[in-house]
Amino acid sequence: MAAFEGVKVTVPTLFMAGDHHMVIAFPGAAEHLANTKHSVPLLRDIQMLPGWGHWTQQERPTEVNAAMIEFLRSLPI
């Protein structure tokens, strides 16, 4: 991963995760997520989905689709 040290994600981005996902519970995950804007400058939104786990798109397809459509409509054409 050394080749990617300091590389930024430079496309508009939406981050969605369930608050019951095991990765979110890792030590330091909250701080890392709070600092995501430094490496993803075009991050539009972070949506932590209460009561959801790993398979957000299967658990709540209506909500995930609505968020994705809203995000895509916000992009310039």
Side-chain angles (χ1 to χ4, degrees):
M1 297 301 295
F4 299 102
E5 183 70 31
V7 173
K8 296 183 184 291
V9 175
T10 58
V11 295
T13 306
L14 168 66
F15 179 88
M16 297 178 74
D19 67 352
H20 284 78
H21 193 291
M22 64 181 175
V23 172
I24 300 301
F26 285 177
E31 293 81 13
H32 180 71
L33 195 55
N35 292 322
T36 300
K37 194 81 168 163
H38 298 296
S39 57
V40 187
L42 297 179
L43 178 66
R44 298 283 180 96
D45 194 15
I46 294 174
Q47 295 186 15
M48 295 305 297
L49 311 166
W52 300 13
H54 177 73
W55 300 105
T56 56
Q57 67 276 20
Q58 282 88 5
E59 294 175 37
R60 301 290 199 299
T62 301
E63 293 92 331
V64 170
N65 286 340
M68 291 177 65
I69 289 168
E70 180 181 338
F71 168 72
L72 291 170
R73 284 187 175 150
S74 76
L75 300 177
I77 295 177

